[in-house]
Amino acid sequence: MDLESKYEISRTADFIRSNNFVRVALQFPDELLKVSTLVAKALKSELGRGVRLFVMADTAYGSCCVDEVSASHVDAECLIHYGHACMSPTTTLPAFFVFGKASIDVTDCVQSLHHCLSTSHKPILVLFGLEYAHALQNIKSVSAAALPFDGSSPMIQYAKVASSIIYPSGDSNGRNGCDGNGRNGCDGNGRNGCDGNGRNGCDSDGLNWHDIVVQSHGDNHKIPKSDGNSNLRTDTKYGLGGLKWCIPVDYKINEYLFFWIGSEDSAFSNFVLTFNNCEIVRYDAEERQLREDFSHQKKTLMRRYYLVEKAKDANIVGILVGTLAVAGYRKTINQMKELIEVSGKKSYILVMGRPNSAKLANFPECDIFVYVSCAQTALLDSKEFLAPVITPFEAVLAFSRGKEWTGEYMLEFRDLIVSSPVGVSHMDEARFSFIKGGYVEDVQFHESGCKQNEDSLALAEPAMKALSLSSQPSDYILFKGSARSGADFFAARSFQGLKMQYENPSVSSYIVGRSGRAAGYKDEKMQENCSA
Amino acid sequence: MVKFTAEELRRIMDLKHNIRNMSVIAHVDHGKSTLTDSLVAAAGIIAQEVAGDVRMTDTRADEAERGITIKSTGISLYYEMTAESLKSFKGERVGNEYLINLIDSPGHVDFSSEVTAALRITDGALVVVDCVEGVCVQTETVLRQALGERIRPVLTVNKMDRCFLELQVEGEEAYQTFQRVIENANVIMATYEDPLLGDVQVYPEKGTVAFSAGLHGWAFTLTNFAKMYASKFGVDESKMMERLWGENFFDPATKKWTSKNTGTPTCKRGFVQFCYEPIKQIIKACINDQKDKLWPMLSKLGVVMKNDEKELVGKALMKRVMQTWLPASTALLEMMIFHLPSPSKAQRYRVENLYEGPLDDQYANAIRNCDPDGPLMLYVSKMIPASDKGRFFAFGRVFAGKVSTGLKVRIMGPNYVPGQKKDLYVKSVQRTVIWMGKKQESVEDVPCGNTVALVGLDQFITKNATLTNEKEVDAHPIRAMKFSVSPVVRVAVSCKVASDLPKLVEGLKRLAKSDPMVVCTIEESGEHIVAGAGELHLEICLKDLQEDFMGGAEISVSDPVVSFRETVLEKSSRTVMSKSPNKHNRLYMEARPLEDGLAEAIDDGRIGPRDDPKVRSKILSEEFGWDKDLAKKIWCFGPETTGPNMVVDMCKGVQYLNEIKDSVVAGFQWASKEGALAEENMRGICFEVCDVVLHADAIHRGGGQVIPTARRVIYASQLTAKPRLLEPVYLVEIQAPEQALGGIYGVLNQKRGHVFEEMQRPGTPLYNIKAYLPVVESFGFSGTLRAATSGQAFPQCVFDHWDMMSSDPLDPTTQAAALVADIRKRKGLKIQMTPLSDFEDKL
């Protein structure tokens, strides 16, 4: 496949031209860096002079996310993202996505699809990795031709790519900024522009699909199409990771068989976890095989469940900033902070880029980390981590009393903001900890007296208290997670640095020191002068 | 049964000298519950209005079905002594009325936690021993437990009817059997010499041993007979009692007492002559339907039968006659009243065992004096599911003060530390309840010395707690109970319907509350685990979980899972080194097995992180041959800071070493919890830090660099020291007749068990077999054993020790390697172990 069609040079150029952007950042993941110059060159020749292109690589967080910070270093007005994308909405920059085109054997894929259709009695919903979006039309027509009845049969439905352009939603306008209605106005034009390329079907109403992400599989969360312009039938709309689809309102989502075309990547696991009670098969386009066993994905879910239980026992929580671009991230971080404080735990916000075991182990006082990032990089789990890392959704489950794990799962924190007005109801009952196998009690921070301020004294006070009391043996604090704050932990450490305080500092009057530069202090110059 | 109103019962509760709190303890199937029944039938207190339609024994359906007791049940008995019989009673008393709070406990070893909970709230114990089977394993275990709690025992030799009917033994032989039973029991009791408790051994001639037939509802102590004969011989009762036991012989021909058998055919031992023979004759007369002989004998004994009872024949007649002549309730209750301590007497010496705080503060004094006006001290020993689902009664004993409805109490949980707010609640008691048979009656208050059930506190008490008045902020809690069994058998439970998960979670919480021994946890893989003391215990727990605590929602239960331990066989073959992620720090370590017995010493708490270093180094150097200086260089224990592994600093003159100590310890806590083989806990490994090279800049040797490195180097040293798996092993005790031995050996061999002791019980055809059996193999063991011995053998399994599996888990062909693969698979890990090269670095 040639460069032009694979990287959609002309469409990209159209986008840039139509918006009159002059400084454009091109973001490549590591595996596509080798073609970056070729793409840039092709674009350049397409656009001609007047537009400056910047190639960016090596993002601080996941390469699936738009790296707004790097782009703003070059004052870019928009960003073209290449390769696998999580399609998380951006905060400040408009972004154009080029997914690339992976090769696929359409006939084989359709055969598998029909095989599924004949063996399963459920209607089928076809979903795909974004790199296979280009082949969808082809698959549709081949499938329709092969089937005896017409292609619009309710037995097979196809998801669509929501959009390949994302306009910023802004982080400042709070919760509304992420609501569906709040966004409709600002991106209507952009949406229509991209819909012109023939991918659109029933979405000409211009509703922003990104926001209609599944919140629950229950009936009460269905979002009926309210516009009612062309389509009188009410559909339930879903969207996830840049895909969107709608199913008739009289069907439930778990009555469908999901047919996923693509490799087993983070987009797929995001999907499997979100729709964990649905039947899913995956067609692997590279190996041309149908895979039906996702037991390890289920295991992942069980494992997450364990981590939630573990988080309930935590006293100190580290909030890891895993994105600086995804819309609403600051809101979420603040929300997490609030939630953690209300639940009587202590939180610290940590920015460390992509977490690894060494970085996390630098904060041994944290019993658990909450990783605020885009949906597809959110699942971080490694045996190497000293403390487990959970997602904001899991944090909400863990830190608000009375919330139960129901099997419902969410990875995108934006959904969390919409769906849960975070409230912590304090129940009077002791909490049962499955980690310890017994009832434990949560100590309420504000109960213990003064509400702590964010000033420097806040750290010093508990430190002094901890130093003077030290009623608990230090190994309980250090290794069994009974520290209540970082200061507690520090006070319990066997080594606290060289000379924390001067011993018996005696009062003495100040003396005037030397002034000037090291090359020649003022008094030295004077001496020189004297000697000369 | 005695009909009572709550007010009347409440009145007796104030008479602290007239209360006896006691538990019935014994080996499984020695007849505790049957004996209790016969007591309850005569003296049990029931509410007036429900008299007649209550059956005391009717508790859980599964108990009846299996014929074993599962939960301990408390029953109050009322007994009015005659003024005459009380004449010889020396202790304090008020009036002649007595309240006996009796707790029937299970005998099966799987439920011995119930026994522990029962013992805590009682002062005396009735030890029931089968006269044929004698003192068995569980008798010994519970007896030791009782004595550990300073519970005074009395003994009853039960199932006397077997002697007369089944075995038809002669008097002298029977005496020898009884004598042996009592001696065996005394051997155990003699080991607990306790100046405060005094002599706890039991003597028939002192009236602390009864002889009973629970099934037929009769029993006697030598007192009964002594009274009968004392006037006849013109000696006082105590003298007569002495003659009725031991080496005292009577020859009716010469009417002389001798201390030796004179050899004449008429000379018989006092016991045989005056106790055994008369009973035997009467029973014989009843069974053989010789009513012409029977009536004169009975009238001589002063036994009056009702007319309709005279029509009975055979066993029914015998039962009736014996019950009238020697009613079990009279004999046993009198024995309890005479020889078991009242709360006020018992708490005087039990306070040391009970109270954690200083023994001279007001709380200790209130307990010691059983002071109803003192501060409240109440120990909740178990939670009893209430009839409305999901709620529990907190059942316990008031040791001092009074607990009343509406009282605000401080609840000190098991993790409470005086002076802190941890595990501490202040809540008010909604209701105080006492049991009137099956029925609960609310009362205004309950004074010290009594058992009580509290409503409204169940949300704050997990399994047990100490309660005191709201204001008593400096009270220390009452010591936590120590259980003799540990939960070693585990299953994973999950709900069949995914949406039932909240129900399962709720059910598990309640299950954990309802049973002192069960532990509900969650695995790293997210599976819910229920752990119990044995297969039977788990079975009952799961049944409760599903039926009572989850409202019948379907659950699926995995095969039982056993946790293993990881250890090492030898010292590491070389010093291993790992580099930190930034390559600037290097840790050198070696692993070696801890000395024999040291891991156990750490388990028992003889050696631990809180020791005085001097004491610790003394024990280590004297018992385990450690170098004295080295003993001072122990950095930590782990996992959980108290486990049976340690890190020892062997470096010399390393700069900044104290800076990384915490980080190394953190890495060790982590690694020792999840060993390199199968992420099981480590056990019995000593890690020696041989050398450390650190970067000169503090920022490059922080926790982030050192913690992961310490973990890696610990794994590397474990893998180079011939790692091995340890499996848990049960001590199995089986009692069976000789013909069943073949079957037992067969089953044990097949299950990798080995017998280390086989002993015939003197005087019986029974053999006692002790064997070790891997816990893994124990599932279905009792079933197989029953099948192989046609139901004659019944095993009791208790966790005993960890046993090293000899095969090398690093060699993929061995059994240990297969086991490791299994565990890893179950835990959702990579089947392949991480190779040594991933943990060890080259220079």
Side-chain angles (χ1 to χ4, degrees):
Chain A
M1 217 182 283
D2 63 331
L3 205 68
E4 154 65 31
S5 77
K6 189 166 184 184
Y7 296 105
E8 304 181 50
I9 302 292
S10 60
R11 208 162 70 80
T12 315
D14 283 345
F15 165 75
I16 295 170
R17 266 197 299 264
S18 66
N19 287 288
N20 297 322
F21 292 130
V22 288
R23 294 174 77 87
V24 177
L26 310 179
Q27 184 187 339
F28 290 89
D30 293 352
E31 68 271 18
L32 289 182
L33 272 182
K34 55 182 186 289
V35 297
S36 59
T37 47
L38 298 176
V39 172
K41 210 175 271 171
L43 264 180
K44 189 91 185 163
S45 62
E46 184 81 20
L47 288 165
R49 293 182 147 260
V51 179
R52 291 194 63 184
L53 299 174
F54 301 89
V55 175
M56 303 189 313
D58 193 25
T59 55
Y61 303 100
S63 56
C64 64
C65 295
V66 172
D67 189 351
E68 289 184 52
V69 177
S70 308
S72 56
H73 282 163
V74 294
D75 292 328
E77 293 158 319
C78 85
L79 187 143
I80 315 294
H81 182 278
Y82 290 89
H84 177 76
C86 58
M87 304 294 280
S88 309
T90 58
T91 314
T92 53
L93 279 185
F96 183 88
F97 291 87
V98 178
F99 305 126
K101 290 176 181 171
S103 63
I104 180 171
D105 183 342
V106 172
T107 45
D108 188 62
C109 175
V110 169
Q111 254 172 27
S112 302
L113 180 61
H114 290 178
H115 171 74
C116 279
L117 195 62
S118 57
T119 50
S120 158
H121 302 291
K122 292 178 170 180
I124 291 183
L125 187 63
V126 179
L127 299 132
F128 43 87
L130 291 171
E131 64 273 26
Y132 295 102
H134 65 98
L136 189 68
Q137 273 309 336
N138 215 343
I139 292 173
K140 252 188 201 171
S141 53
V142 172
S143 163
L147 282 177
F149 41 87
D150 65 328
S152 64
S153 132
M155 293 302 280
I156 302 183
Q157 292 192 23
Y158 295 90
K160 303 170 193 70
V161 175
S163 157
S164 54
I165 305 173
I166 289 180
Y167 284 90
S169 59
D171 195 35
S172 51
N173 53 348
R175 193 165 292 176
N176 267 341
C178 313
D179 275 347
N181 53 3
R183 297 254 323 266
N184 272 342
C186 72
D187 57 1
N189 54 348
R191 183 58 33 80
N192 286 337
C194 81
D195 278 341
N197 57 15
R199 278 220 202 97
N200 62 336
C202 67
D203 60 344
S204 48
D205 46 65
L207 229 159
N208 188 340
W209 285 86
H210 281 288
D211 306 306
I212 306 161
V213 184
V214 191
Q215 282 148 18
S216 160
H217 314 314
D219 289 356
N220 49 345
H221 286 286
K222 280 182 182 171
I223 303 160
K225 222 183 211 178
S226 52
D227 300 42
N229 46 4
S230 59
N231 233 333
L232 283 177
R233 194 183 50 169
T234 50
D235 284 355
T236 318
K237 292 180 181 181
Y238 291 90
L240 188 73
L243 292 180
K244 59 174 180 176
W245 66 93
C246 46
I247 58 168
V249 78
D250 42 329
Y251 278 93
K252 284 208 181 92
I253 191 80
N254 54 6
E255 285 169 7
Y256 277 87
L257 173 70
F258 288 75
F259 187 89
W260 179 275
I261 304 167
S263 55
E264 196 164 6
D265 53 8
S266 56
F268 179 64
S269 23
N270 179 11
F271 173 75
V272 174
L273 287 177
T274 310
F275 295 96
N276 57 61
N277 58 352
C278 301
E279 200 183 331
I280 297 167
V281 293
R282 181 172 68 89
Y283 174 78
D284 197 315
E286 279 163 34
E287 292 173 33
R288 302 185 180 188
Q289 267 178 333
L290 212 54
R291 299 285 167 89
E292 299 184 32
D293 178 33
F294 303 116
S295 57
H296 72 277
Q297 301 279 10
K298 300 269 182 230
K299 274 195 181 136
T300 310
L301 202 66
M302 296 276 281
R303 167 83 185 158
R304 304 312 295 186
Y305 174 54
Y306 166 78
L307 295 181
V308 169
E309 289 298 323
K310 187 137 179 128
K312 288 180 180 172
D313 278 7
N315 283 326
I316 303 177
V317 186
I319 302 174
L320 299 180
V321 182
T323 174
L324 292 174
V326 180
Y329 79 97
R330 263 149 67 188
K331 179 89 197 156
T332 309
I333 290 170
N334 285 330
Q335 208 176 6
M336 286 298 123
K337 220 172 98 181
E338 243 168 71
L339 177 72
I340 291 164
E341 192 186 335
V342 172
S343 67
K345 302 173 197 302
K346 184 90 189 148
S347 71
Y348 296 95
I349 298 176
L350 310 166
V351 184
M352 55 169 72
R354 246 191 117 56
N356 62 29
S357 69
K359 287 180 190 171
L360 291 182
N362 272 328
F363 302 93
E365 53 269 69
C366 290
D367 303 315
I368 200 141
F369 296 98
V370 181
Y371 189 47
V372 178
S373 76
C374 83
Q376 295 187 11
T377 50
L379 287 187
L380 274 184
D381 191 17
S382 165
K383 291 290 325 170
E384 306 292 312
F385 292 163
L386 183 57
V389 180
I390 59 171
T391 66
F393 169 72
E394 290 159 345
V396 170
L397 275 183
F399 299 144
S400 25
R401 281 291 295 275
K403 278 231 175 200
E404 290 276 3
W405 176 281
T406 52
E408 166 197 335
Y409 198 79
M410 262 188 260
L411 279 162
E412 307 198 23
F413 58 74
R414 286 169 296 127
D415 317 342
L416 206 63
I417 303 174
V418 184
S419 68
S420 67
V422 175
V424 179
S425 59
H426 274 300
M427 269 190 281
D428 244 356
E429 193 177 353
R431 186 174 57 79
F432 189 87
S433 158
F434 277 104
I435 304 295
K436 298 199 173 84
Y439 281 78
V440 294
E441 129 219 62
D442 299 317
V443 169
Q444 308 302 317
F445 242 48
H446 34 89
E447 220 174 64
S448 64
C450 52
K451 199 140 172 123
Q452 289 172 10
N453 312 326
E454 288 271 329
D455 56 33
S456 55
L457 270 179
L459 187 76
E461 264 172 34
M464 291 303 288
K465 229 188 278 173
L467 278 173
S468 58
L469 268 172
S470 77
S471 45
Q472 264 177 315
S474 64
D475 47 356
Y476 271 70
I477 293 178
L478 289 179
F479 313 117
K480 293 183 88 176
S482 69
R484 296 247 151 254
S485 67
D488 252 7
F489 187 88
F490 182 72
R493 265 173 28 181
S494 65
F495 179 79
Q496 294 168 331
L498 299 165
K499 276 196 189 166
M500 275 261 286
Q501 292 129 344
Y502 290 104
E503 281 140 34
N504 309 321
S506 58
V507 184
S508 55
S509 61
Y510 68 92
I511 46 166
V512 181
R514 295 196 286 192
S515 60
R517 294 187 302 134
Y521 292 106
K522 275 181 184 158
D523 53 339
E524 286 171 342
K525 270 179 196 158
M526 298 251 288
Q527 278 169 9
E528 263 169 47
N529 291 343
C530 291
S531 62
Chain B
M1 293 211 200
V2 189
K3 289 170 214 154
F4 251 51
T5 60
E7 288 74 39
E8 287 174 290
L9 184 59
R10 174 66 190 80
R11 179 179 55 81
I12 313 177
M13 287 175 127
D14 275 331
L15 315 173
K16 62 179 179 184
H17 296 295
N18 290 24
I19 300 170
R20 299 288 183 274
N21 293 307
M22 49 144 336
S23 35
V24 185
I25 54 175
H27 190 76
V28 64
D29 227 13
H30 279 195
K32 290 175 301 296
S33 302
T34 321
L35 194 65
T36 312
D37 270 0
S38 61
L39 295 182
V40 171
I45 289 173
I46 51 169
Q48 196 123 38
E49 58 268 35
V50 287
D53 54 36
V54 191
R55 287 206 341 267
M56 288 301 158
T57 51
D58 187 27
T59 49
R60 295 164 58 106
D62 47 351
E63 289 184 331
E65 201 177 289
R66 291 163 192 269
I68 55 163
T69 311
I70 291 164
K71 299 279 174 194
S72 49
T73 30
I75 290 157
S76 296
L77 308 174
Y78 169 80
Y79 190 63
E80 193 167 357
M81 297 283 280
T82 56
E84 187 200 350
S85 60
L86 276 170
K87 253 190 281 175
S88 53
F89 184 68
K90 304 283 189 307
E92 286 180 82
R93 66 188 173 92
V94 181
N96 300 343
E97 292 174 302
Y98 281 89
L99 176 67
I100 294 160
N101 296 315
L102 184 146
I103 296 179
D104 179 24
S105 68
H108 194 281
V109 68
D110 277 12
F111 307 112
S112 52
S113 57
E114 290 280 332
V115 182
T116 313
L119 288 173
R120 171 50 65 88
I121 57 171
T122 53
D123 305 308
L126 175 65
V127 184
V128 182
V129 183
D130 185 318
C131 68
V132 180
E133 289 189 10
V135 173
C136 293
V137 203
Q138 193 60 8
T139 320
E140 199 178 321
T141 317
V142 290
L143 198 52
R144 281 186 199 286
Q145 261 182 27
L147 293 166
E149 280 270 343
R150 284 195 169 150
I151 305 289
R152 179 173 281 281
V154 288
L155 186 79
T156 180
V157 180
N158 200 23
K159 300 203 180 175
M160 289 288 282
D161 46 321
R162 287 179 76 180
C163 283
F164 296 109
L165 302 173
E166 193 183 315
L167 303 170
Q168 308 248 343
V169 286
E170 278 309 311
E172 185 58 27
E173 196 187 336
Y175 171 83
Q176 295 297 345
T177 315
F178 303 154
Q179 175 66 25
R180 211 164 20 237
V181 167
I182 296 163
E183 245 168 43
N184 283 340
N186 275 339
V187 165
I188 301 162
M189 298 192 223
T191 55
Y192 280 80
E193 257 182 67
D194 187 339
L196 283 168
L197 197 54
D199 185 10
V200 287
Q201 299 191 40
V202 291
Y203 307 98
E205 64 270 28
K206 286 187 182 159
T208 46
V209 176
F211 300 86
S212 59
L215 195 62
H216 297 168
W218 57 268
F220 66 89
T221 58
L222 293 186
T223 328
N224 296 57
F225 284 94
K227 269 184 201 153
M228 218 182 307
Y229 297 114
S231 52
K232 203 172 144 194
F233 284 97
V235 291
D236 64 353
E237 265 179 52
S238 54
K239 182 86 185 153
M240 191 64 213
M241 273 172 67
E242 273 169 35
R243 284 186 175 165
L244 286 179
W245 194 256
E247 304 300 305
N248 289 299
F249 297 85
F250 185 71
D251 194 338
T254 59
K255 302 214 169 180
K256 280 249 162 54
W257 286 95
T258 47
S259 60
K260 257 191 209 141
N261 197 338
T262 50
T264 56
T266 46
C267 180
K268 278 182 186 161
R269 195 181 288 273
F271 176 76
V272 177
Q273 183 79 278
F274 295 107
C275 304
Y276 195 79
E277 290 293 337
I279 296 171
K280 197 176 165 191
Q281 276 171 27
I282 292 205
I283 287 179
K284 211 166 156 190
C286 292
I287 294 293
N288 299 342
D289 210 17
Q290 299 162 313
K291 289 192 176 166
D292 48 334
K293 261 172 143 182
L294 182 63
W295 304 137
M297 281 198 282
L298 288 180
S299 65
K300 236 165 92 186
L301 292 168
V303 177
V304 185
M305 303 289 290
K306 293 195 192 108
N307 277 333
D308 56 331
E309 288 169 351
K310 288 187 176 173
E311 302 303 314
L312 296 168
V313 286
K315 275 197 173 174
L317 177 67
M318 172 197 75
K319 199 171 163 182
R320 202 56 234 144
V321 167
M322 291 304 292
Q323 274 175 3
T324 326
W325 179 30
L326 299 166
S329 55
T330 319
L332 294 176
L333 292 175
E334 284 192 16
M335 176 166 76
M336 294 170 198
I337 289 166
F338 271 81
H339 300 287
L340 293 183
S342 70
S344 79
K345 203 169 149 194
Q347 285 178 204
R348 207 163 282 283
Y349 51 80
R350 284 189 73 195
V351 62
E352 282 177 35
N353 288 41
L354 292 170
Y355 192 57
E356 274 194 343
L359 289 172
D360 51 357
D361 69 2
Q362 55 160 326
Y363 310 101
N365 281 330
I367 296 177
R368 186 176 292 120
N369 301 329
C370 192
D371 183 1
D373 302 317
L376 174 69
M377 289 304 279
L378 188 156
Y379 189 76
V380 175
S381 74
K382 65 179 276 186
M383 306 294 285
I384 302 174
S387 49
D388 46 340
K389 299 265 171 194
R391 301 309 299 272
F392 291 86
F393 290 111
F395 188 68
R397 153 104 174 244
V398 190
F399 284 101
K402 269 181 192 164
V403 64
S404 56
T405 302
L407 181 74
K408 268 207 162 179
V409 289
R410 264 166 81 85
I411 304 171
M412 297 180 269
N415 300 320
Y416 171 74
V417 183
Q420 287 183 20
K421 288 201 162 179
K422 211 175 155 198
D423 215 358
L424 178 77
Y425 304 93
V426 176
K427 287 289 162 317
S428 52
V429 178
Q430 279 177 14
R431 263 183 325 130
T432 47
V433 171
I434 50 172
W435 252 261
M436 303 275 285
K438 292 271 95 200
K439 198 165 175 274
Q440 300 107 36
E441 290 275 356
S442 294
V443 288
E444 191 51 41
D445 58 354
V446 173
C448 55
N450 289 285
T451 51
V452 63
L454 305 170
V455 180
L457 303 179
D458 53 347
Q459 287 171 311
F460 310 98
I461 303 175
T462 314
K463 289 169 200 272
N464 39 59
T466 307
L467 309 188
T468 183
N469 293 113
E470 187 193 359
K471 298 265 157 22
E472 312 293 350
V473 285
D474 36 326
H476 287 247
I478 287 174
R479 194 157 283 143
M481 294 185 286
K482 212 175 163 191
F483 294 108
S484 60
V485 286
S486 42
V488 278
V489 185
R490 303 139 48 89
V491 289
V493 290
S494 56
C495 29
K496 289 221 170 102
V497 188
S499 55
D500 278 344
L501 184 68
K503 267 192 200 167
L504 176 68
V505 169
E506 195 53 39
L508 287 171
K509 287 180 191 171
R510 291 187 199 161
L511 176 66
K513 202 168 252 189
S514 73
D515 189 305
M517 186 42 66
V518 77
V519 178
C520 301
T521 49
I522 187 167
E523 282 269 282
E524 292 250 330
S525 59
E527 286 172 306
H528 281 286
I529 300 288
V530 177
E535 230 185 340
L536 181 63
H537 181 220
L538 262 189
E539 198 184 323
I540 301 292
C541 286
L542 293 172
K543 188 170 162 289
D544 280 358
L545 173 67
Q546 191 180 358
E547 290 173 9
D548 297 347
F549 302 133
M550 283 179 66
E554 279 195 89
I555 52 172
S556 48
V557 178
S558 75
D559 286 337
V561 175
V562 172
S563 50
F564 288 77
R565 295 286 182 270
E566 297 181 15
T567 191
V568 295
L569 189 61
E570 289 171 7
K571 197 175 174 73
S572 293
S573 53
R574 59 176 186 275
T575 306
V576 289
M577 183 271 285
S578 297
K579 285 183 193 168
S580 62
N582 64 10
K583 316 287 179 215
H584 287 311
N585 305 284
R586 297 196 289 268
L587 298 182
Y588 294 81
M589 260 197 211
E590 278 176 20
R592 65 170 177 85
L594 287 178
E595 284 76 6
D596 278 345
L598 186 48
E600 286 72 22
I602 298 171
D603 280 344
D604 299 342
R606 281 211 301 133
I607 298 174
R610 304 273 176 285
D611 292 344
D612 179 5
K614 275 187 195 144
V615 178
R616 185 200 290 164
S617 74
K618 187 162 181 258
I619 299 179
L620 283 174
S621 61
E622 283 174 9
E623 287 180 40
F624 301 103
W626 277 47
D627 188 75
K628 274 220 162 167
D629 293 329
L630 188 61
K632 286 177 187 147
K633 291 192 155 181
I634 296 176
W635 268 3
C636 62
F637 296 84
E640 304 295 329
T641 70
T642 49
N645 303 286
M646 52 175 98
V647 175
V648 181
D649 167 26
M650 306 276 276
C651 327
K652 290 195 176 64
V654 173
Q655 223 178 353
Y656 319 122
L657 188 63
N658 53 352
E659 264 182 67
I660 64 153
K661 182 184 161 190
D662 286 339
S663 300
V664 173
V665 173
F668 164 71
Q669 298 297 347
W670 184 12
S672 57
K673 203 166 165 191
E674 301 169 352
L677 297 179
E679 298 201 351
E680 296 282 342
N681 285 1
M682 292 185 185
R683 183 181 169 83
I685 313 182
C686 178
F687 293 97
E688 297 175 345
V689 184
C690 304
D691 193 10
V692 173
V693 178
L694 294 171
H695 194 275
D697 272 352
I699 193 72
H700 293 305
R701 51 171 197 257
Q705 298 299 328
V706 177
I707 295 174
T709 315
R711 175 169 172 260
R712 287 176 62 228
V713 75
I714 283 169
Y715 285 158
S717 49
Q718 184 198 357
L719 289 177
T720 48
K722 298 215 167 150
R724 289 290 182 270
L725 281 183
L726 294 172
E727 64 171 345
V729 176
Y730 273 139
L731 169 68
V732 191
E733 300 214 26
I734 309 168
Q735 214 157 40
E738 193 173 3
Q739 64 268 24
L741 290 185
I744 295 173
Y745 275 89
V747 174
L748 276 172
N749 280 339
Q750 177 200 330
K751 299 241 174 204
R752 287 200 291 132
H754 72 99
V755 176
F756 65 93
E757 190 184 297
E758 180 192 304
M759 207 177 62
Q760 188 172 14
R761 284 194 164 273
T764 64
L766 292 173
Y767 279 80
N768 231 10
I769 293 160
K770 286 189 182 177
Y772 288 129
L773 176 74
V775 176
V776 200
E777 305 283 350
S778 73
F779 308 121
F781 175 65
S782 45
T784 325
L785 196 63
R786 259 201 301 276
T789 58
S790 46
Q792 287 171 305
F794 182 78
Q796 294 259 54
C797 303
V798 195
F799 169 72
D800 191 73
H801 65 277
W802 294 96
D803 197 23
M804 191 183 288
M805 304 185 75
S806 52
S807 57
D808 181 4
L810 297 179
D811 173 2
T813 56
T814 59
Q815 190 204 1
L819 206 59
V820 166
D822 267 2
I823 301 170
R824 296 186 70 95
K825 199 173 155 201
R826 195 189 77 226
K827 290 187 174 172
L829 309 170
K830 276 204 297 279
I831 305 283
Q832 278 301 316
M833 268 181 256
T834 319
L836 174 63
S837 55
D838 282 18
F839 297 128
E840 189 186 13
D841 292 313
K842 298 268 172 295
L843 253 183

